[in-house]
Amino acid sequence: MNDSSTSEGLLTVLRGLVRELSPGDRLPSSRELIDRHRVGPGTVSRAIAQLTAEGVVVTRPGSGTYVAPRARRTDAVIDTGWQTVALADRSVDAQSLADSAAPDGAIRLDGGYLHRSLQPTRALTAALARAARRPDAWDRAPAVGLSSLRTVFATLADADVRADDVLITAGGQSGLSIAFRAIAAPGSPVLVESPSYPGALAAARAAGLSPVPVPIDEYGVRPDLLAEAFARSGSRVFYCQPTYQNPTGTVLSDERRQQVLAVARAAGAFVIEDDFARFLHHGGVVPRPLLSADRDGTVVYLTSLTKPAAPSLRIGALIARGPVLERLRAIRQVDDFFVARPLQEAALELLSSPSWDRHLRGLAVALRERCGALVNALPAGWEVEQVPAGGLHLWVRLPAGADDAAAAAEARQAGVIVSPGGRFFATEKPAAWLRLSFAATADVADLAVAAGRLR
């Protein structure tokens, strides 16, 4: 039994004991708990600390641990109907981002993060431990982020930018929210690829913006349709993922990269480049970002360590030049002052360690293997138009007449959780699609089992 399950087991026992005792009654001593339940002192200390934090027990040094006074409980129902009027029409739809509970034994192909088996857990633990030992680890961090970490992100961007152009954010989603609010006024349109990342659609709508879809093909967004969308909508911002796009895995072609920048410049518009998958390649050469060809501050660049490392490493970066950077900085500071320094220090330790490069090399091999395994195991009639060279997902077209929502529900009944394609479109969907993650399972064997259930 691991430490986590041992602690949970002791907590369950102690909670049951507290329910049987009266307020003021004394719990068994730590030594008695150790002997009775055959656990270590650390397990007992953690359990007592957890119950103390919950207000269930109180500890008296030199005396023992006692049941705390019962908290008053009420079953009265309060009337909150008035809030509907007070809140007005500013609802935030986060349903497309929520993780639904999976039935026992289900295999998740709907995740947006690496499975724990693919994360650099040891390197992360070591980095966080080194960061915590710094004498200034708990000091306030600069609002724009640690200078040394900004320097690293400027280097990783593979473009002619400086540390002063970098703003540290609490992950990619936070960066998206900041960028949309900084660039576009509420009520204005924002152009997005179609299909697009649901988190971007949700962030844009939460900022009061109206997503306007621009179709993509196997070479990325179509510049002719992008120019038409700018002209028709009057939008001043285009959000895109040029490299290993989510959900399709598409890479914007070199020719179109230049055209997209030219179209945006002609429209006097910004391009928000979400480079979330730069570290998620499957081997080979990764295209340089749009930022590398930007000479007049058109591109606002966003990247993050969350996808290639772990969900809770909420560290990202925005890179911009000109007045827009000051707007980004102001919103970043107003939101929550600064990103927690220990997390920034841990990110810096991780990126500066040789283990980071080793992790990325191993990750590329693992993702390529998983992607190929899932492609080869898909049911007949499920079409992958483009096998991605990077990223975490397959974009699968279902047979004509199929319904993606119904297919996802049926897959769930079979013990496989998938993402229906409708949530990736800002407006109507042109066909039935599913997004399948090949990075959210423990190993390749689970992918084979999942594909078997889908068949």
Side-chain angles (χ1 to χ4, degrees):
M1 185 178 293
N2 59 38
D3 290 343
S4 176
S5 58
T6 302
S7 297
E8 289 298 324
L10 183 58
L11 275 171
T12 300
V13 170
L14 292 178
R15 287 194 175 107
L17 179 59
V18 167
R19 284 194 293 269
E20 296 173 1
L21 297 174
S22 300
D25 287 349
R26 185 177 181 275
L27 269 64
S29 68
S30 295
R31 182 174 295 278
E32 289 175 312
L33 292 174
I34 291 170
D35 293 339
R36 186 181 304 173
H37 300 285
R38 296 182 180 180
V39 295
T43 299
V44 172
S45 296
R46 285 192 294 271
I48 296 298
Q50 176 68 31
L51 294 177
T52 302
E54 294 173 2
V56 176
V57 301
V58 293
T59 57
R60 299 171 187 166
S63 176
T65 303
Y66 298 83
V67 178
R70 308 291 189 200
R72 290 186 177 183
R73 302 185 64 178
T74 177
D75 295 326
V77 178
I78 63 172
D79 180 9
T80 59
W82 64 272
Q83 294 184 5
T84 302
V85 177
L87 290 171
D89 187 19
R90 284 301 306 276
S91 61
V92 178
D93 182 13
Q95 188 171 1
S96 63
L97 306 180
D99 290 332
S100 58
D104 290 341
I107 299 176
R108 305 206 71 137
L109 300 185
D110 65 333
Y113 300 106
L114 299 178
H115 187 271
R116 188 181 303 165
S117 61
L118 294 175
Q119 297 169 16
T121 306
R122 290 186 179 179
L124 282 165
T125 300
L128 189 58
R130 291 194 299 270
R133 288 195 294 267
R134 293 177 178 269
D136 57 353
W138 295 99
D139 289 355
R140 174 172 177 155
V144 294
L146 298 179
S147 175
S148 50
L149 184 58
R150 293 162 66 204
T151 299
V152 172
F153 272 114
T155 302
L156 293 175
D158 193 19
D160 185 19
V161 295
R162 306 167 302 156
D164 288 345
D165 302 322
V166 179
L167 176 66
I168 301 300
T169 68
Q173 192 66 25
S174 173
L176 266 181
S177 178
I178 291 169
F180 282 134
R181 287 180 290 140
I183 295 172
S188 57
V190 54
L191 306 188
V192 299
E193 296 165 312
S194 183
S196 187
Y197 167 50
L201 301 179
R205 289 172 175 139
L209 310 180
S210 300
V212 176
V214 183
I216 64 175
D217 57 24
E218 65 269 30
Y219 303 107
V221 69
R222 288 181 50 182
D224 58 332
L225 297 181
L226 180 64
E228 182 179 348
F230 271 126
R232 287 179 176 272
S233 68
S235 175
R236 290 295 179 265
V237 58
F238 170 50
Y239 166 79
C240 62
Q241 296 177 327
T243 303
Y244 314 134
Q245 196 250 11
N246 179 8
T248 66
T250 300
V251 174
L252 185 62
S253 68
D254 290 342
E255 180 183 7
R256 289 192 181 181
R257 287 173 183 253
Q258 298 297 328
Q259 293 173 346
V260 165
L261 288 178
V263 167
R265 291 190 192 105
F270 288 99
V271 174
I272 299 177
E273 179 182 14
D274 185 352
D275 201 13
F276 80 102
R278 174 150 300 272
F279 300 115
L280 299 176
H281 61 85
H282 300 173
V285 178
V286 181
R288 298 187 70 191
L290 295 180
L291 181 67
S292 65
D294 178 27
R295 297 293 176 265
D296 53 12
T298 297
V299 176
V300 173
Y301 178 86
L302 171 65
T303 190
S304 168
L305 298 179
T306 305
K307 298 295 187 183
S312 285
L313 188 62
R314 307 301 300 175
I315 293 291
L318 283 165
I319 300 179
R321 290 163 290 186
V324 69
L325 178 58
E326 296 306 317
R327 182 80 64 82
L328 293 167
R329 287 172 174 168
I331 293 178
R332 163 81 267 287
Q333 188 166 4
V334 167
D335 275 356
D336 52 8
F337 293 127
F338 56 89
V339 176
R341 185 168 190 137
L343 208 54
Q344 292 193 59
E345 296 281 12
L348 183 59
E349 290 282 354
L350 179 68
L351 294 175
S352 304
S353 168
S355 60
W356 177 244
D357 287 335
R358 289 197 297 271
H359 164 64
L360 294 182
R361 289 195 298 270
L363 181 60
V365 174
L367 292 179
R368 183 171 65 248
E369 178 187 11
R370 286 162 171 259
C371 179
L374 187 55
V375 169
N376 293 331
L378 288 176
W382 289 31
E383 183 181 359
V384 179
E385 294 184 353
Q386 187 173 25
V387 178
L392 308 175
H393 312 103
L394 287 182
W395 186 235
V396 180
R397 184 166 184 161
L398 299 179
D403 179 85
D404 54 289
E410 194 170 345
R412 186 183 185 87
Q413 292 180 346
V416 183
I417 313 300
V418 300
S419 298
R423 60 193 289 237
F424 298 87
F425 292 91
T427 55
E428 296 81 9
K429 57 186 179 183
W433 302 82
L434 294 178
R435 191 194 72 172
L436 309 180
S437 170
F438 46 80
T441 62
D443 49 36
V444 175
D446 277 352
L447 291 175
V449 172
R453 293 178 182 179
L454 292 175
R455 284 197 298 271

